[in-house]
Amino acid sequence: MADRAAAGGADSGIRLDPVTRDVKLPPAFRLVVLDEVDSTNDEARRLAEGGAEEGTLVWGLSQRKGRGRHGRDWASPEGNLYLSLLLRPDCPPREAAQLSFVAAMALTGALTLLVAPHSQIDFKWPNDVLLNGGKVAGILLEASTTGADALDWLIVGMGVNVASAPDGATFPATSLRAEGCGEVTPGEVLEGFARHFQVRANIWVEDGFAPIREEVMRYAKGVGEAITVTLGEETIEGIFADIDETGALIVELGDGSLRTVHTGDVFFGGAA
Ligand code: BTN
C-alpha cells in the first residue's frame, strides 16, 4: 500500500479523498492527488525542487494548462489521467531519456489488461501509445541537470485519454471509452501503470535498455514501412528501419543511407 502522505506537506493545499481516489500502489510510490492543477509536470517540478523523493507521483484530476511535446497544448478535462512521476536516475541525461520507453511499455502492459478483447495496442515512436490506431496516450519528459553529465531530477509526464479524446489533434486521437473499454477509471490505469513501471524500471536498472528495446520493437508500429518524420522545419521520408540500442529512430532514406533521428514526430505512410 502506498504511503499516501502528501509530499508537499500538511498545509500544501493537497487534498486526498480516500473514497474516489483510493488507488493501491507499490510501496516505492508516494501519491499526491490534486483536484485541478495547471500542469502535473509543473507541480512535480515544484516538489522535485523542494526535495521530494524519487517515486513521487502527482495525479491531477484535470489540468488548466496541460502541455504536450513541442510546446503543444494537451487538452485536460476531468475523466482522463494526468500523471507525473518524479525520478532521480543516477545516469547521464541521454541514458535517462530511455525512461520514456520504460514508461510507454509500462502503460502498454497496463492497458493490455484493461482494454476490450481483440484491441490493437501499438507504440508510436518516440513516446505515444496507440489503441486501435488512434493516440490514446502521450508522454512528456522534462529534466533538470546538475552538470554536464548528471541529473538532478527527471519527470515522466503522462496523459491517458480514458473518457474522452480531443478533436483535431496532429495525430488522430481516441479514448479507452471510445474503444469499448467500458467504465475503466483513471485510478485503474494509474494502478496498472505503477505496477508495470516498477517491474520494467528494475529491469532497466539491472540489465540496461536491451530488454526494454526488445519489448518496444514488439509493439512498434510501422517497422519496415514508409514513414514521414517531421523534425522542426525539416521533413524526411523513408522506411522505418529500426530503433537503435539508444532508443533513436533509424530511417532508411531513398538513396539507401540511414538517418538517425533523436527527436521528431512520426506519421505513417509517405506524406505527413
Ligand atoms: C504528448 O504526446 O505530446 C505528450 C503529452 C503529455 C501530457 C501529460 S498530462 C500530464 C503531464 N502534465 C502535462 O502538462 N503534460 C503531461
Side-chain angles (χ1 to χ4, degrees), residues 147-173:
D149 231 17
L151 271 177
D152 183 7
W153 49 257
L154 178 89
I155 291 163
V156 181
M158 202 173 69
V160 185
N161 299 331
V162 178
S164 65
D167 290 328
T170 322
F171 188 89

Side-chain angles (χ1 to χ4, degrees), residues 1 10 21 38 42 46 51 55 73 95 102 145 147 169-170 176 179 206 267-269 271:
M1 182 70 168
R21 305 155 205 194
D38 278 347
D42 291 345
R46 195 181 66 74
D73 291 338
E95 224 172 281
V102 175
T145 50
T170 322
L176 293 178
E179 299 303 326
E206 293 293 319
F267 297 86
F268 302 107

Side-chain angles (χ1 to χ4, degrees), residues 1-2 23-31 55-59 81 83-85 87 102-111 113-114 156 158 160 186-202:
M1 182 70 168
V23 296
K24 290 184 172 52
L25 301 178
F29 297 95
R30 280 154 305 284
L31 185 63
T56 300
L57 256 179
V58 180
W59 175 18
L81 177 63
L83 197 65
S84 296
L85 171 61
L87 299 170
V102 175
M105 288 304 104
L107 183 62
T108 298
L111 292 183
L113 301 173
L114 295 171
V156 181
M158 202 173 69
V160 185
E188 286 173 298
V189 180
L190 193 166
E191 279 188 359
F193 167 75
R195 278 194 235 111
H196 285 266
F197 183 85
Q198 184 163 21
V199 172
R200 286 165 181 80
N202 288 340

Side-chain angles (χ1 to χ4, degrees), residues 39-41 63 66-69 74 83 128 135 138-139 158-159:
S39 156
T40 54
N41 267 32
Q63 298 184 118
R67 59 176 184 276
R69 295 171 60 234
W74 185 263
L83 197 65
D128 294 341
K135 175 165 168 170
I139 293 170
M158 202 173 69

